[in-house]
Amino acid sequence: MFNYLLKRIFYAIPILISVNVFTFFLFFVVNTPDDMARLHLGNKHVTQEAIDNWKFERGYNKPLLWASELDGVKKISETIFFENSLKLFLFKFGQSDSGRDISFDISKRMWPSLAIALPVLIVGICLTLTIALFVAFFRATYIDSTGVLICVFMMSVSGLFYIIGGQYLIGKMLKLVPISGYSEGLSAVKFLILPVAIGVISGLGNGTRWYRTIFLEEVNKDYVRTARSKGFKESQIMLSHVLRNALIPIMTGVVVVLPSLFLGSLITESFFGIPGLGSYTIEAIRAQDFAIVRSMVFLGSLLYILGLILTDISYTLVDPRVRLN
Amino acid sequence: MYLYKFYFIFFIFIIGCSKPWNNPYSTEKESYSIHYSSFAERPKHLDPVSSYSENEARFISQIYEPLVQYHYLDRPYRLEALTATKLPEPMLVHDESINYSIYKVRIKPGILYQPHPCFAKDPQGNFVYHDLTSEQVSQIKTFSFFTSTGTRELTAHDYAFQIKRLAHPQKHSPVLGLMSKYIVGLKELKEKLLASSQKGQVIDLKKFNIAGVKVVNNYEFEIKIYGKYPQFKYWLAMNFFAPIPWEAEAFFSQTGFKEKNLSLDWYPVGTGPYMLTENNPNRRIILKKNPNYDPTLRPSIEHNKQRIDLNFDREVDEAHFILEKEAIPEWSKFLQGYYDASGILSDSFDQVISINSRGDANLSSDIEAKGVNLVKAVKPSIAYMGFNMTDPLIGGYSEKQKFLRRAISIAINYEELLSIFANGRGLVAQGPIPPGIFGYLNGLSGVNEHVYQWTEKGPRRKSIEIAQDLMSRAGYPEGIDTTTGKRLTLFYDTVLGGPSGKAVLNWYRKQFKKLGIELIVRATDYNRFQEKIRKGTAQIFSWGWNADYPDPENFLFLLYGPNSKVETQGENATNYQNPEFDNLFLKMMETPNGVSRQKIIDRMVELLREDSPWVWGYHPTTYTLYHKWMKGVVPNLMARNTLKYKTINQNERREYRAKANQPVLWPLVFVVITIFAIFFICLFRVKKDKTTSV
Amino acid sequence: MQIVILKTDFLFFLLLAGIFLYSLFVFKDKQLLDVWRQVFRKPLAIASGMVLFFYLAICLLDSIHFKHLANNEKSQEITSVLDSLFEPISKQVETTYSAPFAYSSFVKETILNDDGSVAREFPRLKFGGSHLIDPESDYWPDIWISLIYILCMGFVFWLVLLFIYYFFSYRSRPKSVISFVNVVLVSSGSFKVFWVTLLGFCLLFSFLFVFAGHYHILGTDKVGNDVLYQSFKSIRTGVLIGTLTTLLALPFALIFGVTAGYFGGWIDDVIQFLYTTLSSIPGVLLIAAAALMLEIYMSKHSDIYMSVVARADLRLLALCMIIGITSWTTLCRYVRAETLKLREMDFVAAATALGATKLRVIFRHVTPNLMHLVMITLVLDFSGLVLAEAALSYIDIGVDPSMESWGNMINSARLELAREPVVWWSLGSAFFFMLFLVLAANIFADSTRDAFDPKTND
């Protein structure tokens, strides 16, 4: 187990490095540091000297990949690539192009993201499971087919409309919750209700249909038939046998996304004015703050790989037949 | 888990009984007034040395106090002493064949800084929070870590310190280049600092001196500038010249602070009426009243009831600025009474503004019934279309080239542009100087006779036939070049994009088509646009200028030859060169406001109108809405430190909020009942099916 | 007139040709034909297939571009067949908002009267309802008469189609007209659904045909453009993003997947490493980063002046490619797994034993058996991609702003909800146009998957 984990982690490092190389080329080769400097220094009275100074401070005046005039290790270490990409591995995200410390901002902003994403996940799973179980219970009836149709319908509506419509209806027309905003602690609840509800509802169609498929797969398995022949009630079978066994694929599916919950949701957060990582990323994209986007790409890949490893572990925990090596 | 949820819901219901459910704020205390407004983009700098934008000035102008300020009510804009005892006047000296002006400044004794940890001293008189160990630094989570605070009297040293900070290479002061031309010794200081920072040393500004700034004693200092520059007094009103205590710089420059985003750029320290207590630029910024602020040491505002309804009984105790990225929530919250002030979305303009029979904009009746006030003001700024004068086709100073530019000036109907795209929020410009600034002339005498003709109803744009005639005289009858026989094609560089930009660009194309000119639009991003202007490769472009200070110099210098963008990276984006204009400019700079200055300006403006390096564009008008509970609002587009003049009537606000935010519950109840109904019907059906089938 | 083939047009034609070839292939292969019959056995699948066909047809019409070369004027304007079909409507631009079927503007305007006084009122539209002489009294009668007219026309049109079918269906021609009507009305299943849906389309077409000339059926937007026209133009963007993305990702996924699966060893390792790397980058961020870079790159090279259409087209293609890069990994994984399975199959082993080269085995025996995977992916991904376009355009990293797309429509219309009274038609149109496409695609995809992948079929 331990060896396996170690192997996985060692396997992750080259992946992260190549992610870095990839994003580095995307950012620095197309967009020169001069362009970035101009963008961030504003428009009035900008001199070339100020630009050089700005670049000097961020180390953008160094060569991109290879410092040919220096010797030894410095050929590699005194470059923009080394300074800006490899330091990410130490979680030193450095300064954003606008001058704030990125690590600090990330550590502050991941909590609001989590405050939305976690309830959406938990409430979403509970609700989806209930409905899917309900629909699967009535399989091959009109309730089932209408249920599936409604699910497909809900899937076909763009998430944007859930957000725009939800805010308009609940926030503006019915005046039940504040339209947007956020606050720390307990009083955050009134701000979170609407985005969480919208998040749950927009994921309902897809989730229900998926879980229903999983349930139906289980229902047709032999052990269920056996149970049925033993004279268990249908509702009992659904709740104890089917649900318990279907939870394995469902939970492993959840574990993958668990680490990525920190990243938040781009559109919801910016629409409801929630200071999470999602809106952080959007702001960075709109302000063309490449340092932040680069850090977020790295963080995202890292969390994704973490999710994969967690999934493997959870497989062994849930199903003792699987052994990792 | 579920128990907690119930508890939460219960909690919300409890709140719901006492006030509107959708109130985004926590409970407010009686007799403690909080002003709420929003900001769309988080400020980049709150350090007065590097902050140069409107949305940052909104915050720091309440916190920092330069020597002088703009009078709140007087028009035309007038400076008055703020922390200085009187307005500093220049004294001319002649030294080694160079002219200098010396500003002797005396500041009022007894002005105190806001309470701040950087001043905190222990009983032995040592600073508590200077020279923290790295262990202590690592314990800092938020700013509230610093529990003890102190204060200190404002001294002349602090002003001198800030002037030295302008030269600091890591502060990137945007005015450093400009100010080095004037303040004696600033350039030398900058070079010294740069040299020492490139050696890797930490700069301690206290150890450096600047030749042009001499501190006489704690309350007196002198600034020496090259030559005559009467506009320098306006710079003294800007935050670049606000005092910074050396303790603050020493406190924030400790190692490890920057990684925690603790810096003067985020936590200002000033003497002003307000101090920053919470800075979460991702969510909100809170300013609280500075307890050490003594209004008797500041100029008092004469209470003139005839002029404006001012009510200075109850000041704003706390101001909350809330980040609002999207326009709809911001506007909805304003209507719900959760913001005291708001701009007007172009999309909701018709809902808010109605134009009366004389063409004046007023509030529409249903917005007025809500008790909203409208404040209108023409901004001291100009949006113009520039011709690159170095371009062989559109630039140049021959008669024909002038005719071409004038024809274009007539053809671009800015009145139409304003009415289509800006709901008429703007005033068509007759020259570079906007209203409210000395040199602007109203009525007949201010009309640009090359483009307009005066009628009884005011200036009317000349007819397109006249422009077409000018085109033929320029050698392009109906837009066809007589020498080559080809259609005249011009390039227009712009940063406009997006759905609304597309419409504007099409409109521009249509205007040029009236003269038979084909306009090709090259839309780029701002960087590329600036690069083109810098290199002088653009032909036609749109740009604007916001006044730094209310003096015609600040607009006319945009066309002053030695400021040419291509040659000196100055602000003369069209690279306009006219020796007579340049001579007059120097004379105008030095002449005090008066008849003779007006004469010079008139001549200069006439030269410009004749050469037409710009199409004079328009001066945008700002419309701001205030709820009636907010008093003391006067449109003053030069002064930014206006929060101290405003007041709030909390009772009115509470009543309004309660009335405007009655929650509507029945749809929710309806939905819940429907869901339950469906659920039970399904169950019932199944029971029946089962019983029949068995 | 000169035909212009844009890059995306070319790819779309390629796709259509591919579909055509595939259908020929299907008709030859009896087993495959049965599977496809199964797809169309569900009534809903037929209806959604027809809706999809409708959207594809519109997309095709909008993909045939040409330039007018009249008057010797060197005009850069490129128009499509759809544009010319919509000619009167696309040129009928009002000044600003007007509601669906309105005859006067939605926004009050300052009107200068002859006596010099200024009034603020709702002006009549220039085009919408301009045939009405006295709108107050003529409006409703006009609408009712037109509706009756539409009903008749739609039915007649439908009946004509029905009779055409009757005369040409020689293979199974019913004995008499009455028995034919019986077949149509009474017969259950696919046949009836087909004709009912067709009736719907007939009514829709006559509705558009009758009303579009006189009114703005879906109103106008802020600068007075017809929303119906915009919605129709957006179809091409949506469909192209939905299909071309998979098409562009296809070669990568197939080549890498097959090589990895077939050869194994270090090649497999390298390819696996490649797609793990790519799939570990969060998709949205990758797209955002690439879109940012693309924008900078294009503005750097904007000196070569291109027509607005060509530029927008290039950006659309680039967007498809970027999304393709983020999405090929999934297909690649499936292909690899399937190849691994196929490699061990008897017929592949037999071919190898008979001395077939590796390339021949791959092209002859492995790849054709992967086609159903490709088919399922193409259909399944379609709806997700259409939705993704809207979300991406909303955060300004989608298609060119000058291009009509549902995302751009939503983006520019979101402020309209702040108006009072609210302007709902732009958002509403984008909502319904998208909904119908995505819903149809989802239902069709379900049906396809069920037919090809009988495991989940219950």
Side-chain angles (χ1 to χ4, degrees), chain A residues 14-15 18 22 26-27 30-31 156-158 161 164 168 172 209 266 271 281-282 285 288 290 300-301 304, chain C residues 44 273 276-277 280 282 284-286 288-289 292-293 296 300 387 394-396 417 431 434 438-439 442 446:
Chain A
I15 290 181
S18 42
F22 185 79
L26 209 58
F27 283 114
V30 185
N31 196 35
S156 306
V157 176
S158 165
F161 285 106
I164 296 175
Y168 183 74
K172 197 175 169 204
R209 223 169 60 123
L266 298 185
F271 222 95
T281 319
I282 281 224
I285 291 172
Q288 308 202 334
F290 300 106
S301 326
Y304 175 80
Chain C
L44 266 179
F273 178 75
T276 320
T277 306
S280 71
V284 185
L285 285 177
L286 186 63
L292 268 183
M293 289 306 126
I296 286 168
K300 252 185 186 170
L387 293 179
Y394 180 82
I395 46 179
D396 292 336
L417 283 182
F431 174 77
M434 240 163 99
V438 176
L439 191 59
N442 273 334
D446 270 7

Side-chain angles (χ1 to χ4, degrees), chain C residues 195-215:
Chain C
W195 283 104
V196 169
T197 318
L198 202 63
L199 176 65
F201 275 113
C202 288
L203 286 174
L204 181 72
F205 276 122
S206 43
F207 182 82
L208 293 180
F209 185 74
V210 171
F211 274 128
H214 299 310
Y215 295 98

Side-chain angles (χ1 to χ4, degrees), chain C residues 54 58 61-62 80-92 205 208-209 212-213 217-218 226-235 433:
Chain C
F54 168 73
I58 299 282
L61 284 181
D62 204 9
S80 70
V81 175
L82 187 78
D83 289 330
S84 12
L85 284 179
F86 270 91
E87 188 74 69
I89 304 172
S90 59
K91 292 273 158 38
Q92 288 174 358
F205 276 122
L208 293 180
F209 185 74
I217 295 180
L218 294 176
D226 190 87
V227 174
L228 180 78
Y229 172 66
Q230 280 181 12
S231 314
F232 266 93
K233 285 290 278 182
S234 305
I235 287 177
F433 270 77

Side-chain angles (χ1 to χ4, degrees), chain A residues 95 109 138 180 182 190, chain B residues 23 258 283 324 333 686:
Chain A
Q95 241 181 45
R109 297 188 75 146
F138 294 110
S180 69
Y182 186 74
K190 66 180 170 191
Chain B
N23 191 340
K258 198 158 178 135
R283 196 159 77 77
E324 207 66 78
K333 278 185 183 169
V686 158

Side-chain angles (χ1 to χ4, degrees), chain C residues 75 79 102 125 130 248 331-332 430:
Chain C
S75 155
T79 50
L125 295 179
S130 58
L248 286 171
L331 181 59
C332 184

